[in-house]
């Protein structure tokens, strides 16, 4: 009976009649065979492992598989050894990861050979920028899963608990084992009783799936909720307050992970308010967490308004402290020196801090890459980061190797991704944005995976035909072109938004549309695009060479010299490092101005091609997802046109050159675009 019903669903899905709302992500229901699972451990985690095998088995019908917890030197941390008949691990969660790997391999038709799988990073965490009122900073997929305004936060509903369970399962399926539950711009209320009860309720549900909870704290909490006179980290009263708070937390949540801290950044309080340093602040917290095994993830995202080059500041502020942090402090460094831009060079702190644990932070939510409207697969961007060579310990000192323990003996290794999920039915707002959540988990587990492989897996799991998985026809006509689209998508976005090293030329604080002109009076310069593009009649770009801000010096040779010379600087970072005349000769033989025009045109054309590719695969996709993605692509194409027109017409005012005659003419008028933008930002004025 059960089989018949499932069969009916499968027929409907095959015929495209059963619309998929995207809620099951890469864990869609499928028809299974039976499997006999041998397992003596009765823990909740292993119960999940057994259940997952039974409900997802795609191997030989009636086969047997043994789950075995047994130490093996080749297996590290929560790694596992997988074969087609046995999963072995040092830990229970290792077994569960092995189960997910096995099921993924069955479903994607990858070979299952005996092999050990070890994680690249010990801590693989999502950072939720969720506020206690349920809104999400830079969230484009609805409200928070965890918090809400009119909720009794200390008593979660069954529906909430169910959702948290699905969240936990999804994360475990890709190896994510940490969740920071609230915004880095933290509320001090996070540390109050009712809220901690909710953190406990969440932790209880996440625990069997191997996920620890962490919270972001506000550095001034001792004053704000503790009633103390100050929050000076060297004040013994303050340290005592934190100590008692931490004891209370661990009484409630014995396996609590620790704190994430944004201090003295963008107006957030921090130790510098009392003339103390990042080291004073981080170490004080580390000391109180240490007895419980907790850690401090202290962010290096800092910049003051008066500095001449924002890109240099994190390095300048943190390098003098190398070696001074406790071993349970990890410095959390954004991928680039500025701020999650479509393309940045890697942050020079990677590899440079040699005696300090450092972890990369990437942004899964597409704050600067088209929100949940543009189809942008971010894995290629993270792959570029992880494989960037810092040269700090000779050739091959990639960011991956400098942060995963291969080169420096960090006590803890970790990676964080700013989450893109919310209460939207499909979790991420845009179906393809799910691939970014997936890719983050997969790369955090194995930082050597390629974006191609990850896209391949994700497409098979997410769009694979449930009834007849992966027919040759499906592979050739759906998988190949759509994978290609994904792999090109980030470069396309760079092309139509900020090619050749342009950065931060968004309008206002929304970080969505173009605004190279945007510079309202009274606002700090480093929050306005002209600070970053420096366009004038003489040329364009930020001079970070030795003749300019000398940011190149923060990179290890041979990179410093390579970036310093426009002839050797990679062209995709040219205007990041150099201010060049409009007629500067590019490698293509074109002038800089012409090349800029061509790059924007290429981006626009790429999105046009994405639309055609998608329309062509209609018969392979269920109606719902097909239409949703089609609509988003249309929107993306329209907004790419606006990027193209706004940037070309604006920069043309300085270059005073024609847009190459081979290229399509802008469709919008610059004054109108600026006026539309102004009206949108100030409705009614
Ligand atoms: C910026 C975001 C801001 C965040 C900040 C951060 O615009 O909302 O608070 O990063 O990472 O890019 O702290």
């Amino acid at each position: 009976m059960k089989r018949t019903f499932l069969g009916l669903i499968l027929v409907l899905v095959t015929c495209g009649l059963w619309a998929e709302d995207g809620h099951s992500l890469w864990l869609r229901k499928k028809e299974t065979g039976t499997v006999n699972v041998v397992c003596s451990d009765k823990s909740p985690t292993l119960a999940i492992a057994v259940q997952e095998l039974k409900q997802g088995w795609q191997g030989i019908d009636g086969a047997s598989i043994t789950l075995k917890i047994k130490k093996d030197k080749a297996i590290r941390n929560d790694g596992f050894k997988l074969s087609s008949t046995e999963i072995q691990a040092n830990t229970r969660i290792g077994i569960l990861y092995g189960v997910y790997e096995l099921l993924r391999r069955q479903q994607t038709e990858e070979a299952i050979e005996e092999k050990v799988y070890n994680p690249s990073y010990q801590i693989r965490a999502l950072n939720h920028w969720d506020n206690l009122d349920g809104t999400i900073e830079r969230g484009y997929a609805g409200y928070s899963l965890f918090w809400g305004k009119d909720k009794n936060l200390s008593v979660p509903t069954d529906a909430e608990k169910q959702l948290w369970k699905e969240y936990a399962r999804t994360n475990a399926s890709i190896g994510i084992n940490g969740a920071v539950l609230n915004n880095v711009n933290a509320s001090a209320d996070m540390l109050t009783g009712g809220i901690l009860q909710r953190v406990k309720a969440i932790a209880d549900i996440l625990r069997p799936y191997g996920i620890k909870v962490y919270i972001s704290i506000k550095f001034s909490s001792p004053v704000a909720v503790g009633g103390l006179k100050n929050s000076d980290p060297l004040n013994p009263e303050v340290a005592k307050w934190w100590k008692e708070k931490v004891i209370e937390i661990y009484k409630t949540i014995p396996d609590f992970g620790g704190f994430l801290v944004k201090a003295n950044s963008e107006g957030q309080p921090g130790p510098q308010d009392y003339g103390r340093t990042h080291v004073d602040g981080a170490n004080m917290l580390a000391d109180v967490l240490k007895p419980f095994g907790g850690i401090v993830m202290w962010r290096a995202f800092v910049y003051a308004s008066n500095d001449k080059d924002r890109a240099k500041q994190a390095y300048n502020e943190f390098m003098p402290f190398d070696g001074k942090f406790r071993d349970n402090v990890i410095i959390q460094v954004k991928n680039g020196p500025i701020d999650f831009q479509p393309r940045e060079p890697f942050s020079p702190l990677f590899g440079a801090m040699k005696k300090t644990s450092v972890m990369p932070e990437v942004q899964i939510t597409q704050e600067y890459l088209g929100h949940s409207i543009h189809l942008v697969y971010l894995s290629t961007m993270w792959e570029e980061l992880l494989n960037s060579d810092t040269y700090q310990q000779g050739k091959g000192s990639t960011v991956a190797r400098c942060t995963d323990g291969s080169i420096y003996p960090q006590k803890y290794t970790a990676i964080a991704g700013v989450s893109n999920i919310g209460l939207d039915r499909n979790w991420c707002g845009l179906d393809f944005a799910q691939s970014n959540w997936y890719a983050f988990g997969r790369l955090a587990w194995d930082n050597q995976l390629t974006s191609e492989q990850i896209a391949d897996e994700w497409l098979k799991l997410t769009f694979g035909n449930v009834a007849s998985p992966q027919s040759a026809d499906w592979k050739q006509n759906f998988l190949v072109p759509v994978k290609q689209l994904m792999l090109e998508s980030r470069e396309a976005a760079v092309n139509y938004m900020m090619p050749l090293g342009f950065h931060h030329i968004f309008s206002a604080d929304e970080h969505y549309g173009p605004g190279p002109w945007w510079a309202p009076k009274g606002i700090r310069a480093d929050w306005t695009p002209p600070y970053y593009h420096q366009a004038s009649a003489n040329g364009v770009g930020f001079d970070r060479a030795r003749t300019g801000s000398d940011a190149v010096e923060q990179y290890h040779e041979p990179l410093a010299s390579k970036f310093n010379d426009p002839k050797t600087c990679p062209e995709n970072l040219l205007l990041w490092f150099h201010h060049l005349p409009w007629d500067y000769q590019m490698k293509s033989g074109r002038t800089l101005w012409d090349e800029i025009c061509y790059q924007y045109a290429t981006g626009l054309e790429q999105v046009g091609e994405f639309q055609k590719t998608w329309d062509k695969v209609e018969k392979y996709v269920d109606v719902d997802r097909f239409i949703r993605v089609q609509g988003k692509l249309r929107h993306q194409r329209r907004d790419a046109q606006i990027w193209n027109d706004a940037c070309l017409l604006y920069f043309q005012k300085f270059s005073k050159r024609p847009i190459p005659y081979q290229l399509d003419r802008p469709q919008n008028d610059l004054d109108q675009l600026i006026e539309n933008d102004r009206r949108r930002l100030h409705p009614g004025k």
Side-chain angles (χ1 to χ4, degrees):
M1 171 64 194
K2 220 169 122 198
R3 274 274 168 125
T4 332
F5 180 63
L6 195 58
L8 177 66
I9 294 177
L10 292 173
V11 170
L12 293 172
V13 169
T14 327
C15 304
L17 298 173
W18 182 277
E20 295 213 28
D21 60 13
H23 190 72
S24 340
L25 298 145
W26 49 88
L27 296 167
R28 291 145 78 223
K29 276 249 168 313
K30 47 222 155 240
E31 194 167 15
T32 57
T34 56
V35 59
N36 173 36
V37 187
V38 182
C39 170
S40 54
D41 186 295
K42 298 275 173 279
S43 65
T45 302
L46 270 283
I48 296 168
V50 172
Q51 192 195 3
E52 290 286 8
L53 278 173
K54 294 201 161 160
Q55 72 186 29
W57 186 254
Q58 305 279 295
I60 299 166
D61 201 20
S64 235
I65 183 140
T66 306
L67 306 182
K68 191 163 82 183
I69 300 180
K70 187 170 166 236
K71 298 259 183 254
D72 182 320
K73 275 209 279 322
I75 306 174
R76 279 187 284 111
N77 301 314
D78 292 329
F80 53 88
K81 185 148 96 188
L82 182 68
S83 75
S84 53
T85 54
E86 187 176 274
I87 299 171
Q88 183 189 338
N90 297 337
T91 61
R92 288 177 174 139
I93 185 68
I95 297 281
L96 184 59
Y97 291 152
V99 165
Y100 287 122
E101 181 68 37
L102 176 67
L103 295 175
R104 170 167 44 241
R105 290 188 160 259
Q106 288 181 342
Q107 213 187 330
T108 56
E109 294 175 0
E110 296 286 330
I112 300 164
E113 287 146 10
E114 186 168 313
K115 195 181 148 188
V116 172
Y117 296 78
N118 284 319
S120 297
Y121 297 96
Q122 291 158 16
I123 299 165
R124 305 170 295 276
L126 288 184
N127 286 186
H128 292 274
W129 286 359
D130 295 18
N131 299 311
L132 291 180
D133 68 1
T135 57
I136 303 182
E137 181 150 342
R138 314 305 178 179
Y140 312 103
Y143 286 94
S144 169
L145 264 65
F146 304 117
W147 315 106
K149 201 164 52 208
D150 302 316
K151 292 184 177 171
N152 178 355
L153 289 182
S154 39
V155 189
T157 64
D158 287 345
E160 284 174 328
K161 288 195 212 157
Q162 173 57 30
L163 197 64
W164 296 342
K165 196 168 158 186
E166 291 174 19
Y167 164 87
R169 173 178 181 239
T170 308
N171 280 322
S173 78
I174 47 174
I176 289 173
N177 67 357
V180 183
L181 299 177
N182 63 309
N183 192 355
V184 284
N185 297 316
S187 159
D189 290 342
M190 229 16 235
L191 295 172
T192 55
I195 304 290
L196 285 179
Q197 278 312 310
R198 191 163 173 97
V199 174
K200 172 188 159 42
I202 298 169
D204 287 345
I205 291 178
L206 270 44
R207 186 169 299 113
Y209 290 91
I211 302 169
K212 277 192 182 182
V213 301
Y214 301 74
I215 59 180
S216 300
I217 54 125
K218 198 175 192 75
F219 201 78
S220 56
S221 298
V223 172
V225 292
L228 299 194
K229 287 209 180 61
N230 63 50
S231 299
D232 179 350
L234 299 191
N235 173 355
E237 287 295 304
V238 169
K240 182 163 165 271
W241 186 85
W242 281 109
K243 189 171 173 190
E244 280 161 10
K245 191 44 83 181
V246 163
I247 291 172
E248 180 192 337
I249 295 176
Y250 278 92
K251 255 193 205 137
T252 322
I253 309 149
D255 55 353
F256 179 71
F259 295 147
L260 171 63
V261 193
K262 172 173 176 178
N264 293 120
S265 163
E266 298 188 325
Q268 290 300 325
Q272 292 170 356
D273 303 353
Y274 305 97
R276 314 298 184 195
T277 66
H278 289 294
V279 176
D280 297 329
N283 286 354
M284 180 272 293
L285 292 171
D287 288 343
V288 298
L289 286 161
K290 179 109 187 178
F292 305 95
I295 62 161
V296 177
M297 294 173 284
W298 190 272
R299 295 175 92 226
F301 176 67
V302 293
Y303 63 100
S305 58
N306 50 5
D307 202 278
K308 286 206 188 65
D309 183 1
R310 173 173 165 186
K312 290 177 67 177
Q313 293 193 54
Y315 184 98
N316 286 346
E317 238 179 84
F318 277 83
M319 276 311 283
F321 299 134
D322 190 19
K324 302 222 160 68
F325 291 98
R326 300 279 192 265
D327 66 3
N328 59 333
V329 174
I330 314 185
I331 303 302
Q332 182 165 316
V333 178
K334 286 191 182 183
N335 57 281
I338 290 200
D339 197 354
F340 298 140
Q341 295 304 294
R343 170 164 280 121
E344 296 190 41
F346 66 87
S347 162
L349 280 169
F350 292 119
M353 291 192 97
K354 300 182 173 55
K355 293 174 278 176
T356 305
S357 300
V358 170
M359 62 186 281
E361 173 181 334
V362 297
Q363 198 179 38
I364 310 171
T365 190
Q366 291 166 240
E367 173 180 358
Y368 298 97
L369 281 141
H371 298 186
S372 54
I373 297 168
H374 299 208
L375 193 168
V376 183
Y377 173 54
L378 297 171
S379 181
T380 50
M381 172 163 162
W382 304 330
E383 195 183 340
E384 181 176 301
L385 166 77
L386 292 166
N387 293 337
S388 291
D389 201 340
T390 70
Y391 291 93
Q392 289 285 350
Q393 301 293 316
K395 203 167 160 25
S397 309
T398 58
V399 171
R401 298 187 67 240
C402 287
T403 52
D404 69 5
S406 307
I407 294 186
Y408 303 119
Q410 304 194 177
K411 174 151 185 202
Y412 295 98
T413 60
I415 186 165
V418 180
S419 158
N420 63 345
I421 68 174
L423 283 179
D424 275 9
R425 185 66 192 155
N426 70 359
W427 303 86
C428 300
L430 164 66
D431 292 270
F432 273 81
Q434 298 175 351
S435 67
N436 294 329
W437 180 6
Y438 184 84
F440 170 74
R442 297 291 287 134
L443 281 172
W445 178 271
D446 180 352
N447 61 18
Q448 293 310 299
L449 287 178
T450 65
S451 299
E452 214 247 299
Q453 182 182 336
I454 297 170
D456 197 270
E457 285 175 9
W458 180 78
L459 282 167
K460 286 174 177 168
L461 299 169
T462 308
F463 285 100
N465 187 326
V466 182
S468 60
Q470 302 174 48
S471 64
D473 170 48
W474 182 83
K475 278 189 184 153
Q476 190 185 329
N477 296 310
F478 179 87
L479 182 65
V480 172
V482 179
K483 187 165 53 178
Q484 190 53 34
L485 183 167
M486 287 173 74
L487 291 172
E488 269 179 44
S489 60
R490 182 266 182 147
E491 205 59 47
V494 170
N495 289 339
Y496 65 73
M497 286 183 178
M498 299 183 207
L500 300 173
F502 274 130
H503 50 289
H504 231 313
I505 55 174
F506 297 95
S507 163
D509 181 47
E510 292 165 334
H511 304 156
Y512 179 76
W517 55 80
W518 189 79
K521 280 204 189 65
I523 195 162
R524 48 192 273 192
D526 59 354
W527 282 349
T528 70
Y531 170 94
Y532 297 99
H533 63 61
Q534 301 276 320
S536 70
N538 300 332
V540 66
F542 199 117
D543 185 0
R544 296 194 169 100
R546 290 179 184 132
T547 48
S549 79
D550 202 15
V552 293
E553 256 336 281
Q554 296 182 338
Y555 291 90
H556 198 281
E557 287 295 4
L559 287 182
S561 299
K562 187 174 166 192
F563 290 152
N564 184 56
D565 181 351
K567 291 287 168 229
T568 52
C569 179
E571 284 196 340
N572 62 15
L573 290 172
L574 199 59
L575 302 176
W576 178 285
F577 285 114
H578 297 279
H579 184 82
L580 295 167
W582 297 104
D583 62 359
Y584 174 81
Q585 281 293 304
M586 301 291 287
K587 294 198 178 98
S588 62
R590 297 186 186 117
T591 62
L592 172 60
W593 165 250
D594 282 3
E595 189 67 34
I596 290 173
C597 298
Y598 269 92
Q599 295 281 331
Y600 277 98
T602 304
L604 197 49
E605 200 182 306
Q606 283 171 296
V607 185
E609 290 303 318
F610 296 166
Q611 287 184 286
K612 293 180 204 161
T613 302
W614 188 250
D615 281 359
K616 238 192 272 172
V617 300
E618 178 168 6
K619 75 170 195 201
Y620 301 97
V621 187
D622 50 285
V623 182
D624 239 31
R625 289 189 297 180
F626 177 77
I627 290 178
R628 274 205 304 272
V629 173
Q630 188 184 47
K632 296 268 184 173
L633 282 170
R634 200 176 289 139
H635 198 158
Q636 180 177 0
R637 174 69 179 68
R638 203 174 62 209
D639 291 345
Q641 181 79 50
I642 291 178
W643 269 99
N644 175 82
D645 297 1
C647 293
L648 293 193
L649 293 172
Y650 172 79
F651 289 124
Q652 191 176 35
K653 294 204 307 187
F654 303 97
S655 80
K656 307 233 184 299
R657 285 153 193 266
I659 292 170
Y661 300 116
Q662 299 81 344
L663 300 181
D664 287 341
R665 308 291 91 190
Q667 296 179 4
N668 296 282
D669 173 74
L670 181 62
D671 291 338
Q672 192 59 51
L673 287 173
I674 296 177
E675 177 58 13
N676 290 350
D677 196 49
R678 193 191 64 75
R679 289 228 293 261
R680 195 179 41 77
L681 294 169
H682 310 283
K685 284 199 198 148

